[in-house]
Amino acid sequence: VQLQASGGGLVQAGGSLRLSCAAQRRTSSNNGMGWFRQALGKEREFVASIGWKSATVYADSVKGRFAISRDMSTVYLQMNSLQPDDTAVYYCAVARSSSATSRSSEYTYWGQGTQVTVSS
């Protein structure tokens, strides 16, 4: 499964961005999908996940600011009230099961990442 992420860029603190990620195979519409991020010098961390029936899971750091949604095999991440700490490369991924999950080990396919930079 190939994943194509887009929508990253440079934004001022308090601004918004919307990321999207399209999976190239229809079978991904039955799988959970998620977003992770990795800041420079830090480990990759979970951001949000959405299951086949649209159940969602969020990291505490983004609750109330980010919203994950999906349309079949495409997953979106609406990011509002962005802060400099949100600066990272954002990766989308497809889970092996249909559930939303925060565990990176549950994801089998990963996109190439898109850079999000938030200036103060």
Side-chain angles (χ1 to χ4, degrees):
V1 176
Q2 287 187 321
L3 299 171
Q4 185 68 38
S6 61
L10 173 64
V11 64
Q12 289 187 332
S16 299
L17 283 174
R18 188 189 195 212
L19 307 182
S20 63
C21 178
Q24 300 304 311
R25 282 178 56 181
R26 183 173 177 81
T27 54
S28 297
S29 65
N30 297 323
N31 296 77
M33 300 185 76
W35 289 96
F36 290 75
R37 66 186 182 186
Q38 187 168 19
L40 192 62
K42 295 186 177 181
E43 294 186 354
R44 183 175 58 193
E45 65 176 3
F46 169 74
V47 176
S49 179
I50 186 166
W52 175 42
K53 294 185 178 180
S54 297
T56 57
V57 177
Y58 292 95
D60 288 344
S61 60
V62 306
K63 281 182 181 177
R65 300 189 299 123
F66 291 11
I68 189 170
S69 61
R70 69 185 297 167
D71 177 11
M72 299 298 285
S73 301
T74 300
V75 63
Y76 305 95
L77 186 68
Q78 178 66 42
M79 305 185 294
N80 300 323
S81 301
L82 283 162
Q83 300 300 317
D85 285 348
D86 295 316
T87 295
V89 177
Y90 283 70
Y91 298 90
C92 60
V94 176
R96 63 170 56 89
S97 75
S98 61
S99 302
T101 177
S102 62
R103 298 180 180 179
S104 60
S105 60
E106 294 296 311
Y107 291 83
T108 53
Y109 301 102
W110 294 82
Q112 84 286 4
T114 184
Q115 176 71 46
V116 172
T117 303
V118 184
S119 63
S120 57

